[in-house]
Amino acid sequence: MLTRRSTLGLLAAAAVLPSRARAHVAPPRNEIRESLAKRFTDLGTSGTFVGYKVEDYLIVASDKERSGEGKLPASTFKIPNSLIALETGVVADPDKDVFPWDGVKRPIEAWNKDHTLRSAIAVSAVPVYQEIARRIGQERMQKYVDEFDYGNRDIGGGIDQFWLTGALRIDPVEQVDFADRLRRRALPISKRSQELVADILPVTKVGDSVIRAKSGLLGAERGEPSLGWMVGWAEKGEAHTVFALNMDCREPRLVSERMTLTQACLAEIGAI
């Protein structure tokens, strides 16, 4: 039986990304907009944007190639990591359970303090989430990554490194699929865990619109950025648009452009 989730994750991907397997049902409408791709080149970098306009059942992408290329998720994996932490009881309350700072000074000052799950996701505190992953453990982590059908589902490379330097890969269409299931509270875990994670996602307000999204930056913990992500969804009245953006961020100036460019892409497709 084909659910709406598999329709988005497989059929839309097949329509936008021809290399994927097609199913024998009509896919959502889809568009490739070169004007979105131009936004990356105008910044002097390479990247991709995929937006799923839920009410219009429309996928808009900047390209057919990079939107289907799997990349390390970096700190966008804090979304599933948070869900698994709550579902397994590693974290009982995102506002009360405290992860003490280990005393190691790191280049990002906001990491050098005690954190709750809510404060840790707000500043993308890698050491906190590495500790969470260690407490979850390899077996339980694999179980939920499989159940979430998250990317290539490969957590090889170390329980506290697989999303940073290991074998895990996910492409933007898969990111949109996963974020949409969370938005709809349709993941195969408790509604409570999904409600809490949706609530702790960082929020950006743009006029009368709200963007709930998690950033990611490969190499952030080493001070050597290389790839940036923004993944989440925008709410404009009753309309929702789920999105994923990634871009090369080898120059420091590009790191802060992730949300700026995301907002520009969302505005162009009428999502905010």
Side-chain angles (χ1 to χ4, degrees):
M1 177 180 177
L2 281 169
T3 62
R4 190 173 181 208
R5 179 256 149 179
S6 62
T7 300
L8 171 61
L10 298 176
L11 311 184
V16 175
L17 313 171
S19 62
R20 296 206 174 184
R22 292 177 179 268
H24 298 290
V25 299
R29 294 181 302 124
N30 61 87
E31 297 177 10
I32 302 296
R33 290 195 190 175
E34 293 182 3
S35 56
L36 292 170
K38 186 174 183 295
R39 293 185 179 275
F40 295 94
T41 55
D42 285 350
L43 272 177
T45 191
S46 298
T48 187
F49 173 85
V50 178
Y52 170 47
K53 301 190 75 174
V54 175
E55 284 71 29
D56 297 336
Y57 208 33
L58 170 67
I59 291 180
V60 184
S62 62
D63 64 273
K64 290 183 179 180
E65 292 77 32
R66 182 160 171 159
S67 55
E69 293 176 4
K71 309 280 188 183
L72 279 158
S75 284
T76 64
F77 189 75
K78 287 184 172 69
I79 302 175
N81 209 355
S82 297
L83 290 164
I84 299 166
L86 288 160
E87 193 69 8
T88 58
V90 164
V91 175
D93 188 313
D95 294 301
K96 294 180 180 177
D97 291 13
V98 175
F99 291 84
W101 178 40
D102 60 8
V104 177
K105 288 281 288 184
R106 295 178 175 88
I108 298 175
E109 189 58 39
W111 296 358
N112 301 325
K113 58 183 286 189
D114 297 351
H115 278 289
T116 61
L117 195 66
R118 187 184 297 276
S119 69
I121 200 169
V123 300
S124 208
V126 168
V128 173
Y129 276 87
Q130 289 180 307
E131 175 60 22
I132 286 171
R134 288 189 289 267
R135 294 186 189 183
I136 291 168
Q138 190 83 14
E139 184 176 344
R140 292 192 294 182
M141 185 70 80
Q142 187 68 67
K143 171 182 179 287
Y144 283 102
V145 168
D146 285 342
E147 289 184 0
F148 291 167
D149 193 19
Y150 187 88
N152 67 356
R153 305 189 297 182
D154 188 341
I155 65 170
I159 189 60
D160 58 3
Q161 289 290 332
F162 65 85
W163 67 93
L164 299 169
T165 61
L168 188 61
R169 298 290 186 274
I170 189 166
D171 69 44
V173 171
E174 291 168 334
Q175 289 271 32
V176 168
D177 170 31
F178 178 75
D180 186 57
R181 284 181 285 151
L182 172 58
R183 181 192 65 82
R184 294 185 287 115
R185 316 296 192 260
L187 290 164
I189 56 172
S190 69
K191 186 177 179 182
R192 174 184 181 269
S193 295
Q194 296 177 81
E195 293 278 5
L196 288 172
V197 172
D199 181 63
I200 66 173
L201 277 178
V203 169
T204 301
K205 294 185 178 180
V206 183
D208 60 353
S209 301
V210 173
I211 300 171
R212 304 180 191 277
K214 183 69 196 76
S215 61
L217 186 64
L218 281 182
E221 69 283 358
R222 301 187 305 275
E224 301 170 359
S226 58
L227 176 81
W229 281 100
M230 291 297 302
V231 175
W233 63 89
E235 303 165 0
K236 182 181 181 182
E238 297 299 312
H240 297 81
T241 301
V242 191
F243 65 86
L245 171 147
N246 73 42
M247 57 187 281
D248 296 340
C249 290
R250 299 186 185 280
E251 300 173 54
R253 68 178 178 89
L254 294 169
V255 174
S256 62
E257 294 287 349
R258 289 171 297 168
M259 179 53 90
T260 303
L261 189 52
T262 295
Q263 290 184 30
C265 291
L266 289 170
E268 179 174 329
I269 68 172
I272 60 172

